[in-house]
Amino acid sequence: MLLFIVKRVTIGVFLIFLVAFLVFCGVYAVGNPVDILISPLATQEEVQQTIKAMGLDLPLHRQFFRFLGNTLQGNLGNSFIHSEPAVDIILRRLPATLEIAFFAMLLAILMGIPLGLFAGLNPNSTRSRGIMAGSILCFSLPNFWIGLLVIMVFAVNLGILPTGGRGETVDLFGIPFSFLTLNGLKHMLMPAFTLSLFQIALIIRLTRSGTRETLNMDYILYARARGLSRQRVVFVHLLKNILIPVVTVVGLGLADLIAFATVTEKVFSWPGVGRLFLDSVVNMDRPVIIAYVMMIVMIFIGVNMLVDIVYSILDPRIRLGGRKH
Amino acid sequence: MSQKKRINRLALGDTPWKRLAGEFFESRLAVLGLILCIIILISGSFAPWIAPQNPYDLATLNILDSKLPPFSKGTDGMVHLLGTDEQGRDLLSAILYGLRTSLFVGAVSGGISLVIGVSLGMLAAFYSGRVESFIMRLVDLHLSLPAILVAIILVAILGQGIDKLIFAIVVVFWAGFARTVHGVALAEKNKEYVEAAVNMTLGKLNIAFKHILPNCLPPVIVVATMRVATAISLEATLSFLGVGLPVTKPSLGLLISNGFDYMLSGRYWISFYPGVALLITVIGINLVGDHLRDVLNPRLKR
């Protein structure tokens, strides 16, 4: 067991280094940030000074090692634009993104499981067909366009929800959160809903297929033969068993939501890390780009690792997978 | 299809393709999807001949015509069915040209990633051991990263341009194909006809590409059709984020993005109609792909 965990963690750390190297090399190839930052009137001397101050005069590998050394100390360099540590900026923006991602996941669970259960229990009804068609749409339509439509209907035409921004926030442990004020909640509703659509569709499909498979199991038949009420069979016996794959998807989905929030944040001008990342891409703010990508990769690899480890605890077959019996 | 009809068709000695076509046309939704696809394909490919105006020709644009609502008359007496955008472009023409760009990007990037993914997937299935584990680990790593982020970073690094965009989409998509083909090819490898081919001392590559590949194609075709739709969506998303195509030759995503600012002031059409075109394209392709999967899947035979 311990060996398995150690192995997974080693692979994870190796992957993070690999991605760090790739991203660093890739981002290094992006144009010269000095041209953007320095006024065209600056003298040659000033230009040289800035280059030196940012460490851009060193050869690529030296820059990488410097970057790696600093990274291990939690220092990813100063942002070229905001001239403060990139990590600080990211951490300051992260709560907004986490808030919306968690809210979206909550919405996805609250809507996905009941709808999927309904579609699984009545597979041939018109409403179920409607639910399934809707889930295909959520999968295939470009998410940003759904966001635009939602804005058009609820903010512009009906005027009941704000078009974007974060609204009033309340500080909790020194971090501003929107979900504690009514105004903030109103601002969150549309972006979180749009963001959650993909996850809703995924959970609907999983719950539906799980329900349909489980309904034919002997223990369901037995539970019904014992004369248990339909509610009890569905909500206790059936639901418990279909929740296992759903829980996995929720875990992995959270990482997905944080990454995909980039698009939603742009549509609803939500001030999270995703918007910061897009702005940094446009401005070629290298330290922030690298810090953001490293953060996302760490979240992804971390979550994957966690799911693997939890699974291996639950199901020994995975841990022993490669071994022949 | 009734059992009798099916037997009749089999008895008549129909070719498999004819049978597939017969089954495909049974579903009204699939036919609708096919019709949508054909309309989109024709209007996209023949845009320069159908469109009332050349939206890239700045000389024909009049700034006085900008942001006209649908069905209004421009200064030169032209009726703009879907209105105009902020530069006075006829929106219908811009959509047709944009559709052309989007379809091109979708088809080319889908095609290239299909070829790369299928080749690597087959190689992995055939050269088990180091080659296989290397390719498949790469695929795993790739699929564990969020597609949208990889694409944004790549386009950010490479810069704007249609070729760079296609490259980014290919990089994002090949792994999915490789995994599908690898799975199917592994299953096919153990069948008798492969054993027969091996016993006839045919070459490994010959067996892989001439004998096994044709049998792996059905699921790959399904994935490929769906992927074209995803590629079009991805391109639109990237263009919307402002890291995709250059402003001079707008695709559907860029048109939507341009209109976004005006939507809040009630000029919905600049963003809305390009979005509808995108919607029709994606839904059409998905309907066809979804039904193809049912038709090509022998386990679902009624």
Side-chain angles (χ1 to χ4, degrees), chain B residues 30-108:
Chain B
V31 174
L32 175 74
L34 195 63
I35 293 174
L36 288 181
C37 283
I38 292 172
I39 292 175
I40 290 288
L41 207 62
I42 289 179
S43 46
S45 355
F46 296 105
W49 295 277
I50 303 174
Q53 186 192 57
N54 180 359
Y56 301 152
D57 184 6
L58 294 175
T60 61
L61 303 181
N62 191 336
I63 201 71
L64 291 175
D65 288 343
S66 76
K67 294 176 270 183
L68 290 176
F71 295 112
S72 47
K73 224 173 185 176
T75 39
D76 52 355
M78 197 172 101
V79 177
H80 300 288
L81 281 179
L82 300 180
T84 57
D85 71 357
E86 82 277 16
Q87 291 179 38
R89 267 190 217 124
D90 178 47
L91 208 53
L92 179 64
S93 316
I95 289 175
L96 290 172
Y97 274 78
L99 201 57
R100 194 179 156 88
T101 316
S102 293
L103 285 177
F104 177 76
V105 171
V108 172

Side-chain angles (χ1 to χ4, degrees), chain B residues 162-211:
Chain B
I162 202 162
D163 45 340
K164 288 149 193 157
L165 192 66
I166 289 175
F167 177 78
I169 297 179
V170 169
V171 169
V172 172
F173 277 178
W174 70 270
F177 283 112
R179 181 175 276 183
T180 312
V181 174
H182 179 245
V184 187
L186 276 188
E188 287 289 322
K189 221 171 121 181
N190 298 321
K191 293 197 173 157
E192 284 92 350
Y193 73 92
V194 180
E195 214 172 298
V198 172
N199 286 338
M200 285 166 76
T201 64
L202 297 177
K204 235 180 183 179
L205 282 177
N206 186 0
I207 298 175
F209 285 93
K210 268 199 178 151
H211 295 257

Side-chain angles (χ1 to χ4, degrees), chain A residues 140-142 145 148 267 281 296 300, chain B residues 144 156 256 260 275 279 282 286:
Chain A
S140 51
L141 287 187
W145 197 65
L148 294 189
V267 174
V281 164
I296 289 284
F300 262 78
Chain B
S144 71
I256 297 172
F260 181 42
L279 187 81
V282 172
N286 271 301

